[in-house]
Amino acid sequence: MEISHIEHIGIAVKNLEESIKYYESILGLKCYAVEEVADQKVKTAFFKVGDTKIELLQSTDAEGPIGKFIEKKGEGIHHLAFAVKDVVGSLKEVEDKGIKLIDKAPRKGAEGLNIAFLHPKSTNGILIEFCSEK
Ligand code: ZN
């Protein structure tokens, strides 16, 4: 597997508008995209920090994964996404090494990327996402 960089850090927030204000007016970053991902029941906002992005996630449904996360743990870092060459191959590689997967096959995430999640029980508590452009 070849991880090129941290593609993004996913952060669960209660209120996207309020959070965007913080990142823009306090940290001086610029939100360049807001996108709803119906599949994951979230609305996302993106900021670039070098090669890495910050992905803010607000739940559109209390029963969705981010809604449940915030109910349990509150706002905060939700997942870490690695850019890989090929999600399918990378999933197979880690599965062969005994890692439990949430997604056996990639699905479409924000920005049209192919994404898949590894189970945090297998990754020392961090929800890990792989993403690739193809
Ligand atoms: Zn993500």
PDB file of all heavy atoms in Angstrom, residues 48-75:
ATOM      1  N   LYS A  48      -8.663  23.968   2.901  1.00  0.00           N
ATOM      2  CA  LYS A  48      -7.355  23.406   2.560  1.00  0.00           C
ATOM      3  C   LYS A  48      -6.303  23.909   3.540  1.00  0.00           C
ATOM      4  O   LYS A  48      -6.259  25.088   3.860  1.00  0.00           O
ATOM      5  CB  LYS A  48      -6.941  23.853   1.153  1.00  0.00           C
ATOM      6  CG  LYS A  48      -7.619  23.055   0.071  1.00  0.00           C
ATOM      7  CD  LYS A  48      -6.949  23.293  -1.292  1.00  0.00           C
ATOM      8  CE  LYS A  48      -7.625  22.431  -2.339  1.00  0.00           C
ATOM      9  NZ  LYS A  48      -8.419  23.218  -3.288  1.00  0.00           N
ATOM     10  N   VAL A  49      -5.467  22.981   3.998  1.00  0.00           N
ATOM     11  CA  VAL A  49      -4.306  23.336   4.823  1.00  0.00           C
ATOM     12  C   VAL A  49      -3.136  22.594   4.193  1.00  0.00           C
ATOM     13  O   VAL A  49      -2.904  21.426   4.483  1.00  0.00           O
ATOM     14  CB  VAL A  49      -4.495  22.892   6.295  1.00  0.00           C
ATOM     15  CG1 VAL A  49      -3.360  23.421   7.157  1.00  0.00           C
ATOM     16  CG2 VAL A  49      -5.837  23.340   6.847  1.00  0.00           C
ATOM     17  N   GLY A  50      -2.415  23.234   3.287  1.00  0.00           N
ATOM     18  CA  GLY A  50      -1.386  22.533   2.522  1.00  0.00           C
ATOM     19  C   GLY A  50      -2.042  21.448   1.679  1.00  0.00           C
ATOM     20  O   GLY A  50      -3.058  21.687   1.037  1.00  0.00           O
ATOM     21  N   ASP A  51      -1.473  20.231   1.727  1.00  0.00           N
ATOM     22  CA  ASP A  51      -2.028  19.113   0.953  1.00  0.00           C
ATOM     23  C   ASP A  51      -3.201  18.461   1.672  1.00  0.00           C
ATOM     24  O   ASP A  51      -3.862  17.581   1.122  1.00  0.00           O
ATOM     25  CB  ASP A  51      -0.956  18.028   0.745  1.00  0.00           C
ATOM     26  CG  ASP A  51       0.040  18.426  -0.326  1.00  0.00           C
ATOM     27  OD1 ASP A  51      -0.286  19.326  -1.120  1.00  0.00           O
ATOM     28  OD2 ASP A  51       1.131  17.839  -0.358  1.00  0.00           O
ATOM     29  N   THR A  52      -3.400  18.854   2.906  1.00  0.00           N
ATOM     30  CA  THR A  52      -4.427  18.219   3.733  1.00  0.00           C
ATOM     31  C   THR A  52      -5.645  19.130   3.828  1.00  0.00           C
ATOM     32  O   THR A  52      -5.530  20.339   3.745  1.00  0.00           O
ATOM     33  CB  THR A  52      -3.847  17.942   5.136  1.00  0.00           C
ATOM     34  OG1 THR A  52      -2.713  17.098   4.990  1.00  0.00           O
ATOM     35  CG2 THR A  52      -4.849  17.267   6.049  1.00  0.00           C
ATOM     36  N   LYS A  53      -6.796  18.514   3.955  1.00  0.00           N
ATOM     37  CA  LYS A  53      -8.026  19.286   4.110  1.00  0.00           C
ATOM     38  C   LYS A  53      -8.621  19.052   5.491  1.00  0.00           C
ATOM     39  O   LYS A  53      -8.370  18.024   6.114  1.00  0.00           O
ATOM     40  CB  LYS A  53      -9.058  18.855   3.064  1.00  0.00           C
ATOM     41  CG  LYS A  53      -8.617  19.087   1.644  1.00  0.00           C
ATOM     42  CD  LYS A  53      -9.435  18.222   0.716  1.00  0.00           C
ATOM     43  CE  LYS A  53      -8.820  18.218  -0.672  1.00  0.00           C
ATOM     44  NZ  LYS A  53      -9.347  17.076  -1.460  1.00  0.00           N
ATOM     45  N   ILE A  54      -9.392  20.031   5.908  1.00  0.00           N
ATOM     46  CA  ILE A  54     -10.238  19.849   7.082  1.00  0.00           C
ATOM     47  C   ILE A  54     -11.640  19.632   6.532  1.00  0.00           C
ATOM     48  O   ILE A  54     -12.093  20.392   5.685  1.00  0.00           O
ATOM     49  CB  ILE A  54     -10.251  21.126   7.972  1.00  0.00           C
ATOM     50  CG1 ILE A  54      -8.845  21.501   8.452  1.00  0.00           C
ATOM     51  CG2 ILE A  54     -11.239  20.978   9.118  1.00  0.00           C
ATOM     52  CD1 ILE A  54      -8.308  20.709   9.593  1.00  0.00           C
ATOM     53  N   GLU A  55     -12.293  18.579   6.965  1.00  0.00           N
ATOM     54  CA  GLU A  55     -13.661  18.288   6.539  1.00  0.00           C
ATOM     55  C   GLU A  55     -14.566  18.410   7.753  1.00  0.00           C
ATOM     56  O   GLU A  55     -14.520  17.578   8.657  1.00  0.00           O
ATOM     57  CB  GLU A  55     -13.739  16.856   5.968  1.00  0.00           C
ATOM     58  CG  GLU A  55     -15.140  16.390   5.614  1.00  0.00           C
ATOM     59  CD  GLU A  55     -15.206  14.905   5.213  1.00  0.00           C
ATOM     60  OE1 GLU A  55     -14.564  14.073   5.866  1.00  0.00           O
ATOM     61  OE2 GLU A  55     -15.913  14.602   4.242  1.00  0.00           O
ATOM     62  N   LEU A  56     -15.376  19.450   7.784  1.00  0.00           N
ATOM     63  CA  LEU A  56     -16.340  19.582   8.877  1.00  0.00           C
ATOM     64  C   LEU A  56     -17.580  18.784   8.508  1.00  0.00           C
ATOM     65  O   LEU A  56     -18.018  18.797   7.349  1.00  0.00           O
ATOM     66  CB  LEU A  56     -16.715  21.052   9.094  1.00  0.00           C
ATOM     67  CG  LEU A  56     -15.578  22.017   9.431  1.00  0.00           C
ATOM     68  CD1 LEU A  56     -16.143  23.423   9.668  1.00  0.00           C
ATOM     69  CD2 LEU A  56     -14.803  21.554  10.653  1.00  0.00           C
ATOM     70  N   LEU A  57     -18.126  18.093   9.476  1.00  0.00           N
ATOM     71  CA  LEU A  57     -19.286  17.235   9.228  1.00  0.00           C
ATOM     72  C   LEU A  57     -20.417  17.586  10.186  1.00  0.00           C
ATOM     73  O   LEU A  57     -20.251  17.495  11.408  1.00  0.00           O
ATOM     74  CB  LEU A  57     -18.893  15.768   9.470  1.00  0.00           C
ATOM     75  CG  LEU A  57     -17.738  15.216   8.649  1.00  0.00           C
ATOM     76  CD1 LEU A  57     -16.941  14.199   9.452  1.00  0.00           C
ATOM     77  CD2 LEU A  57     -18.264  14.598   7.376  1.00  0.00           C
ATOM     78  N   GLN A  58     -21.528  18.001   9.608  1.00  0.00           N
ATOM     79  CA  GLN A  58     -22.713  18.224  10.436  1.00  0.00           C
ATOM     80  C   GLN A  58     -23.760  17.196  10.020  1.00  0.00           C
ATOM     81  O   GLN A  58     -24.007  16.997   8.829  1.00  0.00           O
ATOM     82  CB  GLN A  58     -23.263  19.641  10.221  1.00  0.00           C
ATOM     83  CG  GLN A  58     -24.505  19.922  11.068  1.00  0.00           C
ATOM     84  CD  GLN A  58     -25.322  21.110  10.576  1.00  0.00           C
ATOM     85  OE1 GLN A  58     -24.814  22.215  10.481  1.00  0.00           O
ATOM     86  NE2 GLN A  58     -26.578  20.872  10.254  1.00  0.00           N
ATOM     87  N   SER A  59     -24.351  16.560  11.007  1.00  0.00           N
ATOM     88  CA  SER A  59     -25.335  15.527  10.705  1.00  0.00           C
ATOM     89  C   SER A  59     -26.618  16.143  10.160  1.00  0.00           C
ATOM     90  O   SER A  59     -27.054  17.199  10.606  1.00  0.00           O
ATOM     91  CB  SER A  59     -25.641  14.731  11.973  1.00  0.00           C
ATOM     92  OG  SER A  59     -26.450  13.633  11.636  1.00  0.00           O
ATOM     93  N   THR A  60     -27.220  15.458   9.192  1.00  0.00           N
ATOM     94  CA  THR A  60     -28.525  15.891   8.701  1.00  0.00           C
ATOM     95  C   THR A  60     -29.626  15.009   9.291  1.00  0.00           C
ATOM     96  O   THR A  60     -30.793  15.162   8.990  1.00  0.00           O
ATOM     97  CB  THR A  60     -28.591  15.814   7.157  1.00  0.00           C
ATOM     98  OG1 THR A  60     -28.219  14.493   6.748  1.00  0.00           O
ATOM     99  CG2 THR A  60     -27.646  16.817   6.519  1.00  0.00           C
ATOM    100  N   ASP A  61     -29.210  14.059  10.148  1.00  0.00           N
ATOM    101  CA  ASP A  61     -30.151  13.104  10.713  1.00  0.00           C
ATOM    102  C   ASP A  61     -29.575  12.606  12.040  1.00  0.00           C
ATOM    103  O   ASP A  61     -28.446  12.099  12.076  1.00  0.00           O
ATOM    104  CB  ASP A  61     -30.307  11.935   9.721  1.00  0.00           C
ATOM    105  CG  ASP A  61     -31.278  10.873  10.226  1.00  0.00           C
ATOM    106  OD1 ASP A  61     -31.536  10.790  11.439  1.00  0.00           O
ATOM    107  OD2 ASP A  61     -31.758  10.108   9.374  1.00  0.00           O
ATOM    108  N   ALA A  62     -30.348  12.759  13.136  1.00  0.00           N
ATOM    109  CA  ALA A  62     -29.850  12.365  14.470  1.00  0.00           C
ATOM    110  C   ALA A  62     -29.444  10.892  14.507  1.00  0.00           C
ATOM    111  O   ALA A  62     -28.607  10.486  15.303  1.00  0.00           O
ATOM    112  CB  ALA A  62     -30.907  12.645  15.535  1.00  0.00           C
ATOM    113  N   GLU A  63     -30.045  10.081  13.626  1.00  0.00           N
ATOM    114  CA  GLU A  63     -29.743   8.645  13.597  1.00  0.00           C
ATOM    115  C   GLU A  63     -28.551   8.311  12.692  1.00  0.00           C
ATOM    116  O   GLU A  63     -28.131   7.164  12.611  1.00  0.00           O
ATOM    117  CB  GLU A  63     -30.969   7.857  13.125  1.00  0.00           C
ATOM    118  CG  GLU A  63     -32.128   7.874  14.122  1.00  0.00           C
ATOM    119  CD  GLU A  63     -31.703   7.351  15.496  1.00  0.00           C
ATOM    120  OE1 GLU A  63     -31.127   6.263  15.558  1.00  0.00           O
ATOM    121  OE2 GLU A  63     -31.936   8.067  16.487  1.00  0.00           O
ATOM    122  N   GLY A  64     -28.035   9.306  12.002  1.00  0.00           N
ATOM    123  CA  GLY A  64     -26.891   9.080  11.120  1.00  0.00           C
ATOM    124  C   GLY A  64     -25.620   8.903  11.931  1.00  0.00           C
ATOM    125  O   GLY A  64     -25.605   9.140  13.140  1.00  0.00           O
ATOM    126  N   PRO A  65     -24.518   8.478  11.274  1.00  0.00           N
ATOM    127  CA  PRO A  65     -23.278   8.198  12.010  1.00  0.00           C
ATOM    128  C   PRO A  65     -22.719   9.413  12.771  1.00  0.00           C
ATOM    129  O   PRO A  65     -22.228   9.260  13.888  1.00  0.00           O
ATOM    130  CB  PRO A  65     -22.302   7.726  10.930  1.00  0.00           C
ATOM    131  CG  PRO A  65     -22.954   8.009   9.616  1.00  0.00           C
ATOM    132  CD  PRO A  65     -24.423   8.132   9.852  1.00  0.00           C
ATOM    133  N   ILE A  66     -22.811  10.600  12.187  1.00  0.00           N
ATOM    134  CA  ILE A  66     -22.283  11.780  12.879  1.00  0.00           C
ATOM    135  C   ILE A  66     -23.224  12.206  14.007  1.00  0.00           C
ATOM    136  O   ILE A  66     -22.778  12.621  15.085  1.00  0.00           O
ATOM    137  CB  ILE A  66     -22.039  12.937  11.875  1.00  0.00           C
ATOM    138  CG1 ILE A  66     -20.948  12.551  10.873  1.00  0.00           C
ATOM    139  CG2 ILE A  66     -21.661  14.244  12.593  1.00  0.00           C
ATOM    140  CD1 ILE A  66     -19.573  12.295  11.471  1.00  0.00           C
ATOM    141  N   GLY A  67     -24.525  12.078  13.780  1.00  0.00           N
ATOM    142  CA  GLY A  67     -25.497  12.381  14.837  1.00  0.00           C
ATOM    143  C   GLY A  67     -25.240  11.517  16.062  1.00  0.00           C
ATOM    144  O   GLY A  67     -25.202  12.009  17.200  1.00  0.00           O
ATOM    145  N   LYS A  68     -25.018  10.235  15.832  1.00  0.00           N
ATOM    146  CA  LYS A  68     -24.771   9.302  16.938  1.00  0.00           C
ATOM    147  C   LYS A  68     -23.436   9.585  17.610  1.00  0.00           C
ATOM    148  O   LYS A  68     -23.307   9.508  18.828  1.00  0.00           O
ATOM    149  CB  LYS A  68     -24.782   7.852  16.429  1.00  0.00           C
ATOM    150  CG  LYS A  68     -26.180   7.334  16.163  1.00  0.00           C
ATOM    151  CD  LYS A  68     -26.102   5.866  15.786  1.00  0.00           C
ATOM    152  CE  LYS A  68     -27.479   5.314  15.428  1.00  0.00           C
ATOM    153  NZ  LYS A  68     -27.360   4.102  14.587  1.00  0.00           N
ATOM    154  N   PHE A  69     -22.425   9.913  16.791  1.00  0.00           N
ATOM    155  CA  PHE A  69     -21.092  10.213  17.332  1.00  0.00           C
ATOM    156  C   PHE A  69     -21.168  11.410  18.295  1.00  0.00           C
ATOM    157  O   PHE A  69     -20.631  11.367  19.401  1.00  0.00           O
ATOM    158  CB  PHE A  69     -20.123  10.519  16.173  1.00  0.00           C
ATOM    159  CG  PHE A  69     -18.743  10.920  16.618  1.00  0.00           C
ATOM    160  CD1 PHE A  69     -17.764   9.965  16.855  1.00  0.00           C
ATOM    161  CD2 PHE A  69     -18.408  12.261  16.787  1.00  0.00           C
ATOM    162  CE1 PHE A  69     -16.485  10.340  17.258  1.00  0.00           C
ATOM    163  CE2 PHE A  69     -17.128  12.644  17.196  1.00  0.00           C
ATOM    164  CZ  PHE A  69     -16.163  11.678  17.426  1.00  0.00           C
ATOM    165  N   ILE A  70     -21.845  12.466  17.866  1.00  0.00           N
ATOM    166  CA  ILE A  70     -21.932  13.671  18.700  1.00  0.00           C
ATOM    167  C   ILE A  70     -22.724  13.392  19.980  1.00  0.00           C
ATOM    168  O   ILE A  70     -22.367  13.864  21.054  1.00  0.00           O
ATOM    169  CB  ILE A  70     -22.515  14.859  17.890  1.00  0.00           C
ATOM    170  CG1 ILE A  70     -21.443  15.367  16.918  1.00  0.00           C
ATOM    171  CG2 ILE A  70     -22.999  15.977  18.820  1.00  0.00           C
ATOM    172  CD1 ILE A  70     -21.814  16.564  16.101  1.00  0.00           C
ATOM    173  N   GLU A  71     -23.761  12.583  19.854  1.00  0.00           N
ATOM    174  CA  GLU A  71     -24.542  12.238  21.045  1.00  0.00           C
ATOM    175  C   GLU A  71     -23.672  11.509  22.070  1.00  0.00           C
ATOM    176  O   GLU A  71     -23.756  11.758  23.263  1.00  0.00           O
ATOM    177  CB  GLU A  71     -25.728  11.378  20.629  1.00  0.00           C
ATOM    178  CG  GLU A  71     -26.769  11.240  21.728  1.00  0.00           C
ATOM    179  CD  GLU A  71     -27.838  10.244  21.347  1.00  0.00           C
ATOM    180  OE1 GLU A  71     -28.583  10.541  20.399  1.00  0.00           O
ATOM    181  OE2 GLU A  71     -27.909   9.183  21.978  1.00  0.00           O
ATOM    182  N   LYS A  72     -22.815  10.611  21.588  1.00  0.00           N
ATOM    183  CA  LYS A  72     -21.962   9.817  22.477  1.00  0.00           C
ATOM    184  C   LYS A  72     -20.749  10.581  22.976  1.00  0.00           C
ATOM    185  O   LYS A  72     -20.404  10.536  24.145  1.00  0.00           O
ATOM    186  CB  LYS A  72     -21.461   8.573  21.717  1.00  0.00           C
ATOM    187  CG  LYS A  72     -21.964   7.266  22.305  1.00  0.00           C
ATOM    188  CD  LYS A  72     -21.126   6.094  21.785  1.00  0.00           C
ATOM    189  CE  LYS A  72     -21.933   5.315  20.747  1.00  0.00           C
ATOM    190  NZ  LYS A  72     -21.114   4.305  20.052  1.00  0.00           N
ATOM    191  N   LYS A  73     -20.066  11.268  22.063  1.00  0.00           N
ATOM    192  CA  LYS A  73     -18.758  11.841  22.414  1.00  0.00           C
ATOM    193  C   LYS A  73     -18.691  13.350  22.341  1.00  0.00           C
ATOM    194  O   LYS A  73     -17.696  13.952  22.721  1.00  0.00           O
ATOM    195  CB  LYS A  73     -17.680  11.260  21.479  1.00  0.00           C
ATOM    196  CG  LYS A  73     -17.569   9.756  21.607  1.00  0.00           C
ATOM    197  CD  LYS A  73     -16.402   9.222  20.797  1.00  0.00           C
ATOM    198  CE  LYS A  73     -16.193   7.742  21.058  1.00  0.00           C
ATOM    199  NZ  LYS A  73     -15.211   7.150  20.167  1.00  0.00           N
ATOM    200  N   GLY A  74     -19.707  13.976  21.795  1.00  0.00           N
ATOM    201  CA  GLY A  74     -19.660  15.422  21.608  1.00  0.00           C
ATOM    202  C   GLY A  74     -18.907  15.779  20.342  1.00  0.00           C
ATOM    203  O   GLY A  74     -18.478  14.901  19.586  1.00  0.00           O
ATOM    204  N   GLU A  75     -18.719  17.071  20.125  1.00  0.00           N
ATOM    205  CA  GLU A  75     -18.013  17.512  18.928  1.00  0.00           C
ATOM    206  C   GLU A  75     -16.536  17.127  19.032  1.00  0.00           C
ATOM    207  O   GLU A  75     -15.993  17.029  20.123  1.00  0.00           O
ATOM    208  CB  GLU A  75     -18.111  19.032  18.798  1.00  0.00           C
ATOM    209  CG  GLU A  75     -19.524  19.531  18.522  1.00  0.00           C
ATOM    210  CD  GLU A  75     -19.544  21.035  18.351  1.00  0.00           C
ATOM    211  OE1 GLU A  75     -19.189  21.733  19.317  1.00  0.00           O
ATOM    212  OE2 GLU A  75     -19.910  21.515  17.266  1.00  0.00           O
TER     213      GLU A  75
END
